[in-house]
Amino acid sequence: MSKILAFSGSFSNTSINHDLIKYASNLTNDVDVSVVRLADFEAPIYHKELEVEHGIPSKIKKLRLLFDEADGFILSTPEYNGSVPAGLKNTLDWISRMEGQIFQNKPVLLMATSPGARGGQSVLEHLSAVLPFWGADLVGTFSLPKFGENFSNGKISNAELETQLKEQLKKLESKLKQA
């Protein structure tokens, strides 16, 4: 059975993107999904001198093992000031210092949600451009706008948006079956 590592780009304990990750993970079929919080793998801000002096933080090494064991990924991230959250970027910077590309040419479904009408479109556009550089086989994107209106009682309440998410998950699962 294929393994998916699912995580949010947010370090917040009340992350709506983590809520979306949990929900999407429950919609998958015939895959084993592990949901993690990046906050559990927090590391100091990356810089070369720190790496030379102290090496790769042990928490990042543990996270890299989870990346290595995964056959694919689901990532949902907030948009901070129209861009990628610093914690997500820092985590990926640390992972990039180890052998091989971050996502190792494995399939990735990229998602975002926000309270606003654009649903994280800016961060989706940005990450869609850079994820392949980081070794991601980007299979699709999903945006959930107006989280408060479209997500309640632990699930997407808008039928059209739920259908869109299920279609993107099917693409990811199909790609995993081809591997």
Side-chain angles (χ1 to χ4, degrees):
M1 181 177 294
S2 295
K3 294 180 183 178
I4 293 175
L5 182 62
F7 60 96
S8 163
S10 173
F11 278 50
S12 171
N13 289 330
T14 59
S15 168
I16 59 176
N17 278 277
H18 188 76
D19 291 343
L20 181 57
I21 282 289
K22 290 188 299 186
Y23 180 67
S25 298
N26 288 327
L27 295 177
T28 59
N29 296 303
D30 301 321
V31 292
D32 179 24
V33 182
S34 294
V35 177
V36 298
R37 288 189 176 272
L38 289 187
D40 293 337
F41 302 95
E42 191 169 359
I45 298 294
Y46 175 80
H47 59 89
K48 182 76 173 172
E49 294 81 6
L50 184 64
E51 179 187 0
V52 169
E53 190 173 325
H54 298 285
I56 306 289
S58 61
K59 289 181 178 182
I60 296 295
K61 289 178 182 178
K62 290 177 185 176
L63 182 58
R64 178 56 191 245
L65 286 175
L66 296 176
F67 272 59
D68 292 347
E69 293 169 355
D71 299 308
F73 303 89
I74 302 173
L75 165 58
S76 185
T77 189
E79 178 178 292
Y80 290 178
N81 299 310
S83 191
V84 180
L88 172 62
K89 178 68 169 72
N90 186 59
T91 300
L92 297 177
D93 285 344
W94 275 111
I95 291 174
S96 76
R97 301 303 299 163
M98 291 185 260
E99 188 175 329
Q101 290 182 307
I102 297 167
F103 292 99
Q104 306 166 40
N105 299 311
K106 296 174 184 179
V108 177
L109 171 58
L110 177 61
M111 305 187 308
T113 188
S114 75
R118 289 186 30 86
Q121 286 295 324
S122 294
V123 75
L124 286 177
E125 291 167 9
H126 178 75
L127 284 175
S128 291
V130 298
L131 278 174
F133 177 77
W134 295 336
D137 178 4
L138 187 60
V139 298
T141 62
F142 174 75
S143 169
L144 180 63
K146 299 181 179 180
F147 184 83
E149 293 177 29
N150 291 313
F151 195 94
S152 60
N153 298 318
K155 64 181 186 171
I156 294 176
S157 54
N158 179 305
E160 182 180 331
L161 290 168
E162 175 150 351
T163 297
Q164 290 175 19
L165 175 56
K166 287 179 178 179
E167 288 171 359
Q168 294 303 319
L169 288 166
K170 283 181 187 176
K171 287 182 188 178
L172 176 61
E173 291 167 2
S174 176
K175 191 72 170 190
L176 289 168
K177 287 178 184 173
Q178 294 172 9

